[in-house]
Amino acid sequence: MDTHTYPVTRTDAEWRARLTPEQYAVMRGHGTERPGSCALLYEKRAGTFSCVGCDQPLFESKLKFESGTGWPSFNDPVPGSVENTVDRSYGMVRTECHCARCGSHLGHVFEDGPPPTGLRYCINGVALKFEPAA
């Protein structure tokens, strides 16, 4: 059981009121959206991707790339915005990433990304909102 506390906390009822059913299933239930189902996969404008759960800036568009996986992919998060844990679900070991401010599940990080980091943060688009640069 995760006993870590986060700066932003909400009751289950508050999360359900704030999030759509799909967002709740992904962000609070550690689910995964269908690949290719989120419009943010195709977002190419300059700007910032933030957590739907708490508005924390997570990823800058300049570090977004097309991975061919069906989910928005990024080289690296905004420093301090994402935390990682070991995910042993589905009979495999992966690195889960979640929002450092509210603890919401975002996706997973893999070591098969392009330079400069070699990382691929594979993120559920429903967990993100996009704010274009001014």
Side-chain angles (χ1 to χ4, degrees):
M1 180 174 180
D2 183 10
T3 59
H4 182 73
T5 56
Y6 297 94
V8 172
T9 59
R10 295 186 168 85
T11 66
D12 188 64
E14 289 169 331
W15 280 117
R16 288 181 184 277
R18 180 178 181 93
L19 304 173
T20 67
E22 184 181 21
Q23 288 170 329
Y24 182 87
V26 167
M27 298 175 74
R28 306 313 300 171
H30 300 265
T32 302
E33 69 188 2
R34 272 187 7 265
S37 65
C38 180
L40 290 181
L41 177 62
Y42 308 103
E43 181 58 66
K44 302 202 183 301
R45 296 174 290 172
T48 303
F49 294 85
S50 298
C51 177
V52 169
C54 70
D55 303 321
Q56 162 117 307
L58 299 170
F59 300 96
E60 297 295 331
S61 62
K62 65 185 173 192
L63 295 177
K64 184 175 185 276
F65 64 93
E66 177 51 57
S67 65
T69 61
W71 292 280
S73 296
F74 303 86
N75 281 111
D76 222 4
V78 170
S81 67
V82 172
E83 294 177 346
N84 297 329
T85 56
V86 175
D87 175 1
R88 297 183 189 280
S89 63
Y90 301 106
M92 61 183 106
V93 177
R94 300 178 290 174
T95 302
E96 177 193 354
C97 51
H98 56 271
C99 177
R101 186 183 288 167
C102 71
S104 290
H105 172 75
L106 302 172
H108 292 86
V109 61
F110 302 95
E111 294 181 351
D112 62 0
T117 66
L119 298 175
R120 174 174 55 93
Y121 282 82
C122 187
I123 306 299
N124 290 287
V126 295
L128 303 173
K129 62 182 177 180
F130 180 72
E131 180 69 33

